[in-house]
Amino acid sequence: MRRERYDAVIVGGGHNGLVAAAYLARAGRSVLVLERLGRTGGAAVSAPAFPGVDARLSRYSYLVSLLPRKILDDLGLRFAVRKRPVSSYTPTRRGGRDTGLLVHRDPDRTRESFWRLTGSDAEFEAWRAFYGAAAHAAERVFPTLTEPLPEEDELRRRVGDDRIWDMFFTTPLGETVERTFADDLVRGVVLTDGLIGTFSPAGAEDLRQNRCFLYHVIGGGTGDWDVPVGGMGAFTDALADAARAAGAEILTGHEVSGIDADGTRAEVAYANEDGTGTVEARHVLVNASPEALAALLGEPGPEPAEGAQLKVNMLLERLPRLRDREVDPREAFAGTFHVSETFEQLEAAYAEAAAGRLPAAPPSEVYCHSLSDPSVLGEDLVRRGYQTLTLFGLHAPARLFRGGAAANREARARLLDATIAQLDAHLEEPLADCLAEDANGDPCIEAKTPVDLEHDLRLPGGNIFHRDLSWPFRTGGAQGRWGVETARANVLLCGAGAVRGGGVSGIPGHNAAMAVLGR
Ligand SMILES: Cc1cc2nc3c(=O)[nH]c(=O)nc-3n(C[C@H](O)[C@H](O)[C@H](O)COP(=O)(O)OP(=O)(O)OC[C@H]3O[C@@H](n4cnc5c(N)ncnc54)[C@H](O)[C@@H]3O)c2cc1C
């Protein structure tokens, strides 16, 4: 550390902390980032998850949608994403045969698949109209996320269509979905976007599922979820390079233990392997969660957050063959492969988990990164046809894994087995037969519960967004101009827990930097 005082000290070197650091350093401010882990990136990283295996997996977050082009351009980042040819595939068994729904970039292929599944065009037309409405909202809402926080009325005017506003902002998603679609599987595919990292029934009155849905369909003004070339780590490495090149100092292995702020000056206390220290700052930007911020200030925290997902990383020697012979596994796994995610299955899994039981048929979605971007694998693995596989399980709330390390381990193993069994039901060969082995001869598969994520990444209750997602407009008087402000004038949130945070977006990092630069 070269100075004793900085214009801005940033607590946490997750991607949002790095975005804030890069903007502030480029504007000529002195910036210090303190990150507790031995690496930057938070939940947006690439890692060699299996010993002796040359594969750098996006270990936690894996697809990019919410990252505005503007941030890449402003910061001059060399980072690319790739479009997926297939948006989703959902296998099922109907009328005694294995079939499925393929949502392709080519609308004719999608129409054909709807016809094959349902025997008519009705659901496809309903789908087109529904996602047309979502695209209308996306085009109007997405650009506002990097502007000062609008009032609700102002955003409603920008959306400019009361029917569309009501669909996404006021009516519980489950109600809209049930009214719009007749088919249980189609309903489920739509509903899942409201349940990513969000433990909710379809009809929750507080509309947390609607907020989650909104963030999943507005990214980039299109709602596309793209593949980060080189994995998520390529993005955060580019960010760290940009921040350093602009003069920011980034110290890993430095855990912030307290913040003392009076509105104009602040003292930040930290610990590292050599002991403890303090550094002064004009502004403190907090990339850690709102719960962590409260603890650092010695104040009562917000309502505890809870995550609800199982994350599984795998390396396969080959993709498994599907029971549905009409779809090539290379297409099916390139998109989001939904398992046990019909509307009724999702509701049943929620009810079981809410009653304190692991779901008997756990819903999940699976996706293969290396089909779109083999650069995450070493040349030898690519030549031998190896593939990555990521699984994101829903309705697995942290409460089901509490009770100590052994309880977490036991519940993790049971849920993993049940989840893979649901996937196996659609495969010609069990997934276990396709798993690669690491240098120790162990299968290349790792699973993380919300309790694991809380431990590894300090995500409160394992919540992947730090807390439930917020509406992208002002919902109370005290939210400040950018939605990043706190009760202390010189302490700002710059991470996923800010208003309009959550996901790999860089938006709260950008907004916190704008709040500082606007002063
Ligand atoms: C399993 C999983 C899958 C996901 N999938 C996707 C996806 O595909 N697409 C997507 O858009 N989003 C996804 N997300 C969500 C997304 O990854 C997060 O919302 C996003 O990474 C949050 O970024 P952040 O920089 O705000 O916070 P974080 O990534 O949480 O970073 C916060 C940083 O602060 C550090 N820190 C905490 N406390 C302290 C302290 N006291 N002192 C110093 N440092 C501290 C942490 O170590 C961490 O590095 C996923 C998340 C998870 C966990």
Side-chain angles (χ1 to χ4, degrees):
M1 208 178 297
R2 273 174 282 155
R3 301 160 169 265
E4 286 176 357
R5 185 161 199 276
Y6 289 80
D7 292 326
V9 169
I10 300 182
V11 181
H15 84 283
N16 274 312
L18 297 173
V19 166
Y23 270 103
L24 292 174
R26 286 169 72 96
R29 305 297 168 98
S30 56
V31 178
L32 173 66
V33 178
L34 297 173
E35 166 57 51
R36 61 176 274 271
L37 295 173
R39 51 144 186 97
T40 53
V45 287
S46 301
F50 309 114
V53 177
D54 190 9
R56 287 175 53 78
L57 308 184
S58 299
R59 195 170 207 165
Y60 307 104
S61 54
Y62 47 102
L63 288 169
V64 178
S65 175
L66 290 158
L67 175 64
R69 181 78 236 170
K70 171 186 162 42
I71 292 181
L72 297 178
D73 292 345
D74 285 352
L75 300 180
L77 298 182
R78 286 161 68 93
F79 166 69
V81 294
R82 205 161 277 163
K83 294 271 169 225
R84 299 186 297 172
V86 171
S87 156
S88 72
Y89 169 73
T90 310
T92 187
R93 203 169 158 75
R94 271 196 195 172
R97 71 186 176 101
D98 291 292
T99 179
L101 178 66
L102 184 76
V103 181
H104 201 277
R105 288 193 75 76
D106 173 356
D108 289 339
R109 298 258 335 250
T110 305
R111 178 190 291 275
E112 192 186 303
S113 182
F114 268 92
W115 181 274
R116 186 167 76 101
L117 182 77
T118 64
S120 93
D121 260 349
E123 290 291 89
F124 176 68
E125 292 305 337
W127 177 278
R128 284 232 294 213
F130 180 84
Y131 283 103
H136 175 100
E139 278 167 24
R140 284 150 183 88
V141 174
F142 193 65
T144 70
L145 300 185
T146 43
E147 296 171 4
L149 188 63
E151 296 291 340
E152 181 174 350
D153 281 355
E154 193 185 330
L155 193 67
R156 188 179 179 124
R157 268 197 305 280
R158 295 263 294 250
V159 169
D161 184 317
D162 285 349
R163 188 188 62 87
I164 290 177
W165 180 268
D166 289 343
M167 261 171 94
F168 299 118
F169 291 83
T170 65
T171 308
L173 178 63
E175 224 177 287
T176 302
V177 167
E178 287 191 286
R179 199 181 311 132
T180 310
F181 303 100
D183 189 281
D184 186 36
L185 181 147
V186 177
R187 286 175 172 175
V189 172
V190 179
L191 177 62
T192 53
D193 276 343
L195 305 178
I196 303 295
T198 302
F199 188 52
S200 174
E205 290 294 328
D206 67 3
L207 302 184
R208 58 190 187 276
Q209 76 286 30
N210 285 48
R211 296 195 292 275
C212 180
F213 183 80
L214 192 68
Y215 282 84
H216 279 86
V217 297
I218 60 173
T222 62
D224 287 349
W225 284 85
D226 300 331
V227 178
V229 177
M232 242 356 143
F235 174 49
T236 38
D237 290 349
L239 274 173
D241 289 349
R244 281 198 190 95
E249 285 177 62
I250 301 176
L251 298 179
T252 55
H254 283 62
E255 173 154 1
V256 172
S257 52
I259 301 171
D260 187 7
D262 67 5
T264 52
R265 292 167 72 89
E267 195 174 82
V268 178
Y270 61 85
N272 61 17
E273 61 180 12
D274 299 325
T276 58
T278 58
V279 58
E280 271 187 49
R282 167 77 185 87
H283 287 100
V284 183
L285 278 65
V286 179
N287 184 196
S289 68
E291 276 179 42
L293 169 60
L296 293 173
L297 289 168
E299 291 177 347
E303 284 258 300
E306 187 182 39
Q309 67 291 316
L310 178 76
K311 172 74 203 262
V312 185
N313 292 311
M314 293 169 264
L315 183 70
L316 307 181
E317 285 180 353
R318 61 180 182 284
L319 286 177
R321 292 188 308 278
L322 299 177
R323 290 202 174 157
D324 176 3
R325 294 292 177 81
E326 291 187 46
V327 176
D328 183 338
R330 296 180 66 85
E331 283 206 312
F333 286 106
T336 299
F337 187 114
H338 296 272
V339 182
S340 303
E341 289 191 334
T342 72
F343 192 95
E344 283 179 15
Q345 285 173 318
L346 288 166
E347 289 288 79
Y350 174 82
E352 286 173 276
R357 296 190 304 276
L358 290 171
S364 70
E365 29 206 83
V366 185
Y367 139 79
C368 174
H369 180 114
S370 50
L371 282 170
S372 305
D373 169 33
S375 75
V376 295
L377 298 178
E379 272 175 32
D380 183 48
L381 295 183
V382 173
R383 197 177 40 75
R384 288 155 67 194
Y386 281 46
Q387 302 285 358
T388 64
L389 207 62
T390 286
L391 181 149
F392 191 95
L394 306 186
H395 291 335
R399 65 192 83 158
L400 303 182
F401 305 89
R402 298 277 186 215
N408 181 39
R409 198 167 45 243
E410 195 264 331
R412 186 205 296 126
R414 277 204 295 137
L415 183 60
L416 181 61
D417 284 352
T419 303
I420 299 295
Q422 293 301 305
L423 174 57
D424 278 349
H426 301 289
L427 307 180
E428 277 286 359
E429 50 186 336
L431 189 71
D433 287 3
C434 302
L435 286 173
E437 286 183 357
D438 67 18
N440 306 319
D442 294 324
C444 291
I445 179 165
E446 68 161 12
K448 303 255 179 207
T449 68
V451 168
D452 297 324
L453 296 178
E454 185 174 58
H455 176 264
D456 296 353
L457 298 174
R458 296 273 172 90
L459 299 175
N463 189 308
I464 68 169
F465 308 127
H466 292 189
R467 61 170 154 192
D468 282 345
L469 291 163
S470 63
W471 288 117
F473 51 73
R474 194 177 305 283
T475 51
Q479 279 173 331
R481 181 167 150 75
W482 286 93
V484 297
E485 294 80 356
T486 73
R488 316 272 172 125
N490 61 338
V491 179
L492 305 169
L493 273 172
C494 71
V499 179
R500 305 182 291 184
V504 177
S505 73
I507 291 169
H510 166 274
N511 291 350
M514 293 307 117
V516 169
L517 296 175
R519 286 179 177 179

